[in-house]
């Protein structure tokens, strides 16, 4: 068995924890504390998240997509494969070193998606983009923790609060969708999404490509607009 080799570590902004990048042969792992945030051998559900989102917005020619959390770039690469040449993707990545890793040792894993001219990467908390941009996105894809609880940093917990979810709702265009990745289902969280003004579909998808591994959960939350085009729940206050 090849031992894991630590390639780099970096402080998470606003947190005492360190994010660490490891390599073992061709396999890479990003870890926080004792938890693995992303592994290069297991990205079927990260790809599926993009497929499900892009299928819903396929009829929009110049779609705008926000991806929260770059990780190893698999979600981004899968979205770029399905979006048209006029679409634009903004990636919010909290940890600058993650962007550097994607321009360096991780770049080839997902085919260097940051080099695509449709992509703008911003080294900020995704919450900052929600504060700055209202009614701007056709789809927002969020995969910053391993589910709706702060893992990369405790402060992420507010993204999944009622106020946080209303901010995602406010950043979407009227027919926009909010798509979230989670390691497991969470009924209470789905109820919070409903309260924030979303109609939610839940999909169980395989963890690995080619339908292998365990199951992960993807929520596809559509702005639940009433007959006058006004969201039925959620006030949409910024974070
Ligand atoms: C699980 S990984 C994403 C994996 C990605 N879907 C992929 O396909 O490789 C989570 C990423 O979100 C980033 N992140 C965590 N909190 C964030 C926040 N509040 N805003 C933006 N990025 C964040 C982490 O640094 C990490 O790069």
């Amino acid at each position: 068995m090849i031992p894991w080799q630590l390639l780099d570590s970096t402080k998470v902004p606003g947190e005492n924890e360190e994010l660490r990048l490891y390599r073992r042969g061709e396999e890479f792992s990003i870890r926080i504390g004792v938890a693995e945030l992303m592994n290069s051998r297991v990205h079927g559900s990260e790809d599926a998240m993009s497929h499900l989102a892009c299928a819903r917005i396929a009829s929009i020619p110049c779609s705008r997509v926000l991806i929260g959390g770059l990780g190893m770039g698999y979600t981004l690469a899968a979205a770029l494969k399905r979006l048209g040449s006029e679409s634009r993707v903004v990636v919010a990545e909290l940890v600058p070193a993650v962007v550097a890793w994607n321009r360096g040792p991780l770049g080839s894993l997902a085919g260097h998606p940051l080099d695509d001219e449709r992509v703008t990467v911003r080294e900020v908390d995704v919450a900052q983009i929600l504060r700055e941009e209202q009614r701007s996105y056709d789809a927002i894809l969020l995969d910053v923790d391993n589910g709706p609880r702060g893992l990369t940093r405790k402060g992420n917990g507010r993204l999944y609060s009622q106020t946080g979810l209303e901010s995602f709702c406010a950043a979407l265009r009227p027919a926009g969708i909010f798509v979230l990745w989670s390691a497991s289902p969470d009924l209470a969280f789905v109820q919070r999404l409903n309260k924030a003004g979303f109609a939610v579909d839940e999909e169980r998808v395989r963890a690995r490509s080619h339908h292998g591994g365990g199951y992960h959960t993807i929520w596809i939350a559509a702005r639940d607009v009433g007959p006058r085009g006004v969201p039925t729940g959620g006030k949409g206050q910024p974070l």
Side-chain angles (χ1 to χ4, degrees), residues 53-64 82-84 87 138 175 177:
C54 293
R56 299 276 184 123
I57 60 167
S59 61
I60 302 170
C62 304
S63 51
R64 272 198 97 210
R82 278 160 183 78
L83 294 170
S87 295
D138 298 294
I177 52 164

Side-chain angles (χ1 to χ4, degrees), residues 5-236:
Q5 177 196 359
L6 178 65
L7 293 188
D8 195 16
S9 66
T10 185
K11 208 172 140 334
V12 175
E15 215 32 73
N16 283 328
E17 285 279 9
E18 290 213 318
L19 201 65
R20 305 184 310 279
L21 176 65
Y22 290 89
R23 177 176 195 159
R24 177 171 73 178
E26 297 304 304
E27 183 182 3
F28 291 85
S29 171
I30 298 178
R31 299 183 200 167
I32 182 105
V34 293
E36 183 168 68
L37 204 52
M38 190 63 203
N39 183 293
S40 60
R41 292 176 62 181
V42 187
H43 57 89
S45 56
E46 286 79 2
D47 300 345
M49 178 187 190
S50 286
H51 302 169
L52 289 165
C54 293
R56 299 276 184 123
I57 60 167
S59 61
I60 302 170
C62 304
S63 51
R64 272 198 97 210
V65 175
L66 171 63
I67 295 180
L70 175 62
M72 296 183 178
Y74 291 109
T75 298
L76 172 62
L80 291 169
K81 273 190 198 136
R82 278 160 183 78
L83 294 170
S85 57
E86 299 303 315
S87 295
R88 296 289 176 267
V89 183
V90 175
V91 180
E93 173 51 56
L94 177 70
V95 183
V98 171
V99 177
W101 298 342
N102 275 266
R103 296 204 192 279
L106 301 181
S108 61
L109 293 175
H112 299 279
L114 290 182
D115 293 347
D116 191 301
E117 59 184 17
R118 294 170 291 173
V119 176
T120 303
V121 64
R122 294 190 56 193
E123 295 177 0
V124 295
D125 183 343
V126 66
Q128 183 177 322
I129 296 186
L130 302 180
R131 283 193 293 271
E132 292 170 0
E133 299 189 58
Q134 309 272 296
R135 290 193 155 226
S136 295
Y137 292 98
D138 298 294
I140 300 176
L141 281 65
L142 188 72
D143 177 16
V144 295
D145 298 300
N146 281 352
R149 266 165 300 278
L151 172 68
T152 308
R153 63 173 186 174
K154 288 190 188 68
N156 276 357
R158 74 190 190 289
L159 295 171
Y160 314 109
S161 68
Q162 188 72 30
T163 312
L165 297 177
E166 288 169 2
S167 297
F168 284 99
C169 195
L172 287 169
R173 289 174 172 163
I177 52 164
F178 177 33
V179 182
L180 299 94
W181 188 99
S182 176
S184 52
D186 185 331
L187 185 57
F189 179 66
V190 172
Q191 288 167 348
R192 278 212 298 287
L193 279 167
N194 292 147
K195 267 193 170 171
F198 290 107
V200 183
D201 285 338
E202 182 172 298
E203 298 271 349
R204 290 179 79 220
V205 297
R206 300 303 292 262
R208 291 176 182 265
S209 311
H210 311 298
H211 313 295
Y215 286 89
H216 292 149
T217 299
I218 307 289
W219 292 296
I220 303 138
R223 281 190 67 159
D224 194 5
V225 287
R228 295 178 181 186
V230 175
T232 54
K235 295 181 289 298

